[in-house]
Amino acid sequence: MRCLRSEESTKHVFRDCPFANDVWTRLGIGWSLKQNQLQYKDWIQNIFERESNQRIRTIVCAIWALWTDRNKLLHERKMQTSANLTHFIIDYLRELDGVNKRLPISKLVNESWRPPEDINVKINFDAAFDKQHKRSCTVIVIRNSSGQVLKTKVHNNRHIPSTFAAEALVCVQAVRFGAESGFLRVEVEGDKLSVIKKILCEDDDRSEIRSYILDAKRLKSNFINCRFKHEGRRMNRIAHILVKEGLSDEGNAYLVNGLSKYAA
């Protein structure tokens, strides 16, 4: 205990200790006679009921700093002055204000599929993996610049060793499906970022999905222009819906100019 004047309690550490009192005075915060008579829990409740948000913020930060300082004194024998602790609290609050100013304001937007630009079609894909039965379901959806679904393919694959392999396989199948459909300018889009990065990388891949990556790179030669793009699941919603449906059905489907009733 710092002051050796009273039995240590939360009320004493945070409010009644002369050291704490000096910190509050330096912060420009004082307690009324009624507040000084309250027990710790009632004192805290009174602060949250009566004080402004800005003042509560300062008080909470100071309580945290006082407790940290108490622990350092008790366990590490490190002591600092009330002036130094007050400067720390003020600097910390200023730093928080600076972080809040620098952070971009996130806006809630209704993310949706975007049509391809200067390209014939966009090929969206997704995969689901059934670890217990070592199988996966891959879904490929081809749409034109108007958003019209041209072709859809749902395919169940057997003897798939891992989720990573399932994600790589669907990329290969998406490129192959686009080539077999006769499209020459395509944008292949999915949410398998690690796989797409490997396809775009010029270095030789040495991972467990190396054969899939090589197949995808080789199949790109069937197109005049073939671009790979990563997008989140919200942008790939149709494929994501179909893949869950396909894994439960365990069957294969091939649709032209349409979707299943469930996806539609």
Side-chain angles (χ1 to χ4, degrees), residues 6 11 23 26 44 60 63 77 82 86 136 161 182 194 212 224 233 243 257:
S6 175
K11 181 167 66 77
V23 171
R26 290 175 182 275
I44 291 293
V60 169
I63 288 174
R77 301 300 176 186
S82 58
T86 305
S136 72
S194 59
Y212 295 119
I224 295 174
R233 184 157 287 176
V243 81
N257 297 328

Side-chain angles (χ1 to χ4, degrees), residues 8-24:
E8 186 179 54
S9 64
T10 50
K11 181 167 66 77
H12 180 82
V13 171
F14 297 132
R15 190 190 66 198
D16 298 341
C17 177
F19 178 81
N21 269 321
D22 197 25
V23 171
W24 294 123

Side-chain angles (χ1 to χ4, degrees), residues 3 11 23 25 27 33 37 64 84 94 108 126 159 162 187 203 205 243 255:
C3 66
K11 181 167 66 77
V23 171
T25 300
L27 289 172
L33 180 62
Q37 293 173 344
W64 165 69
N84 286 339
R94 284 175 180 169
L108 293 176
D126 201 357
H159 311 296
S162 66
E187 186 172 270
D203 297 336
D205 184 67
V243 81
L255 301 173

Side-chain angles (χ1 to χ4, degrees), residues 11 15-16 30-40 42-43 46 49-50:
K11 181 167 66 77
R15 190 190 66 198
D16 298 341
W31 312 114
S32 66
L33 180 62
K34 179 182 178 180
Q35 286 175 314
N36 275 325
Q37 293 173 344
L38 293 173
Q39 294 301 312
Y40 177 72
D42 296 329
W43 176 62
N46 181 270
E49 288 176 350
R50 299 177 62 89

Side-chain angles (χ1 to χ4, degrees), residues 84-206:
N84 286 339
L85 187 61
T86 305
H87 286 311
F88 167 79
I89 295 167
I90 293 171
D91 289 343
Y92 187 81
L93 290 170
R94 284 175 180 169
E95 186 177 344
L96 286 179
D97 289 335
V99 169
N100 290 334
K101 289 178 181 178
R102 291 193 298 271
L103 287 176
I105 299 173
S106 59
K107 297 181 180 179
L108 293 176
V109 295
N110 185 20
E111 291 183 331
S112 59
W113 180 87
R114 287 192 288 264
E117 297 179 3
D118 303 324
I119 213 86
N120 292 137
V121 296
K122 177 176 283 190
I123 305 173
N124 288 95
F125 64 87
D126 201 357
F129 178 60
D130 181 354
K131 183 178 180 180
Q132 182 179 355
H133 299 98
K134 297 294 182 181
R135 66 187 181 91
S136 72
C137 177
T138 60
V139 167
I140 306 158
V141 181
I142 300 179
R143 284 187 277 187
N144 61 20
S145 58
S146 300
Q148 178 187 0
V149 176
L150 303 178
K151 292 187 177 184
T152 306
K153 186 174 184 179
V154 180
H155 188 75
N156 276 273
N157 310 286
R158 305 291 177 179
H159 311 296
I160 305 300
S162 66
T163 303
F164 204 24
E167 293 176 347
L169 176 60
V170 69
C171 286
V172 175
Q173 291 175 332
V175 181
R176 182 179 291 120
F177 187 44
E180 292 172 349
S181 301
F183 298 109
L184 297 177
R185 294 178 174 85
V186 300
E187 186 172 270
V188 184
E189 181 180 85
D191 60 6
K192 317 304 180 188
L193 179 59
S194 59
V195 177
I196 291 175
K197 281 185 174 181
K198 287 179 177 293
I199 294 173
L200 294 176
C201 182
E202 295 182 359
D203 297 336
D204 186 21
D205 184 67
R206 297 292 182 180

